[in-house]
Amino acid sequence: EAGARVIATDLDKFWTKIIPCNGGGVNRCIPLEILHSEVKALPEDITYVDIIFSEGSVSVNNRCKIHTLPADDFPALPDVSGGTAIEVIGLPDKIKRVLPAVGDSDTRYTLNGIQIDLAAGHIVGTDGHRLHIDDIDKIKDAQGILIPKKAAELIVKHQASDTVTHGKDMASFDLAGGTMITRLIDGNYPDYTKVMPSGHPVKVRFQGNELLKILEGAVPLASGQTKAIRLIINGKIEIKSMNPSLGEY
């Protein structure tokens, strides 16, 4: 393939892209943070970047000298070309809607990811306290995949395409700016269908801005780590919060 293939990884995620360039025949590992800072420091009107390799080092437009390592020291890029390709219409937007409910460093590690339940036709995120769910097209007998939260955040941030290629342990996403390959979370996701209500006997409609102002007033006097408040719905609506040390709302 013409150009230079750039690969970065934190061992859980790989990011790769082929960029146009002149020259070639070099394969080295360069510290990304230093390289990025040197390229970023170039004058704004610069029209090219010369990355000049010498024995054991590299320079950017002859401004610096950065030590490099052999390419063999870099982890191998996973191959997912033989995986299963699926299409999830509106994937980044649907992940964005469920992402706020995903756990963060939860000891129940499966809650630290987004479940794409292809057979049931759902994208799901939960931290055990709240559940966000969105519908997708069902794919009969398809394997579900569990995407880590950090990878899901990148899918949203860089607007991935709707196509996902996945195997048993890895999945690939085409993002604006390159291709991301991420490890999948291995484990059984909780049976979220057991907590989904089968009916909604009570429905309350609020004015969004009005409710937000009321909640902002209640939260400072809410006690506990979760900052819980109480809604009482009985002909009228009361919102209450209390902190034994500070007072009540």
Side-chain angles (χ1 to χ4, degrees), residues 21 26 54 62 67 91 102 125 132 139 168 192 195 225 228-229 244:
C21 70
V26 176
S54 57
N62 289 313
H67 293 299
L91 177 66
V102 176
H132 287 193
I139 302 178
K168 181 180 178 182
Y192 61 91
V195 299
Q225 189 175 7
I229 64 170

Side-chain angles (χ1 to χ4, degrees), residues 2-249:
R5 177 177 287 278
V6 180
I7 306 171
T9 184
D10 61 2
L11 298 181
D12 289 320
K13 301 180 297 298
F14 290 79
W15 192 292
T16 180
K17 182 176 177 63
I18 296 176
I19 58 175
C21 70
N22 295 321
V26 176
N27 194 0
R28 301 289 292 180
C29 298
I30 309 172
L32 177 58
E33 187 174 355
I34 300 175
L35 178 63
H36 177 261
S37 65
E38 287 297 327
V39 173
K40 193 174 180 180
L42 293 172
E44 292 184 1
D45 60 350
I46 204 79
T47 57
Y48 62 90
V49 177
D50 276 339
I51 299 180
I52 305 167
F53 291 85
S54 57
E55 185 66 31
S57 66
V58 67
S59 69
V60 178
N61 286 29
N62 289 313
R63 285 170 39 93
C64 60
K65 184 177 181 181
I66 305 171
H67 293 299
T68 62
L69 292 171
D72 291 342
D73 291 354
F74 199 82
L77 181 68
D79 182 11
V80 294
S81 59
T84 302
I86 59 173
E87 185 176 20
V88 180
I89 303 299
L91 177 66
D93 291 336
K94 289 182 179 292
I95 287 181
K96 183 179 181 179
R97 286 196 280 271
V98 304
L99 194 54
V102 176
D104 189 13
S105 301
D106 198 300
T107 53
R108 298 162 295 178
Y109 63 94
T110 56
L111 299 187
N112 299 321
I114 284 178
Q115 168 80 341
I116 300 183
D117 190 344
L118 299 166
H122 296 137
I123 288 184
V124 186
T126 183
D127 59 3
H129 300 285
R130 56 180 174 172
L131 173 73
H132 287 193
I133 187 167
D134 207 337
D135 294 332
I136 59 175
D137 291 337
K138 294 181 181 181
I139 302 178
K140 187 177 180 182
D141 299 327
Q143 173 190 348
I145 58 176
L146 189 50
I147 305 170
K149 182 176 183 178
K150 289 184 178 179
E153 290 171 339
L154 292 175
I155 290 170
V156 173
K157 180 179 179 180
H158 297 281
Q159 285 297 294
S161 69
D162 292 342
T163 300
V164 183
T165 302
H166 73 93
K168 181 180 178 182
D169 303 316
M170 310 290 292
S172 172
F173 302 84
D174 290 327
L175 281 63
T179 299
M180 179 182 69
I181 301 172
T182 180
R183 296 188 188 279
L184 298 174
I185 297 176
D186 183 20
N188 295 320
Y189 201 71
D191 186 357
Y192 61 91
T193 59
K194 290 184 177 179
V195 299
M196 291 174 60
S198 58
H200 302 277
V202 178
K203 182 176 181 178
V204 182
R205 176 169 291 176
F206 295 89
Q207 292 293 332
N209 290 336
E210 181 182 355
L211 176 62
L212 181 61
K213 289 179 182 178
I214 295 171
L215 294 177
E216 287 175 343
V219 167
L221 289 175
S223 60
Q225 189 175 7
T226 58
K227 294 290 184 182
I229 64 170
R230 185 179 181 187
L231 267 68
I232 304 170
I233 304 172
N234 186 17
K236 62 179 181 178
I237 298 169
E238 294 182 67
I239 295 179
K240 293 185 176 184
S241 63
M242 184 177 69
N243 187 311
S245 302
L246 300 175
E248 63 182 51
Y249 175 92

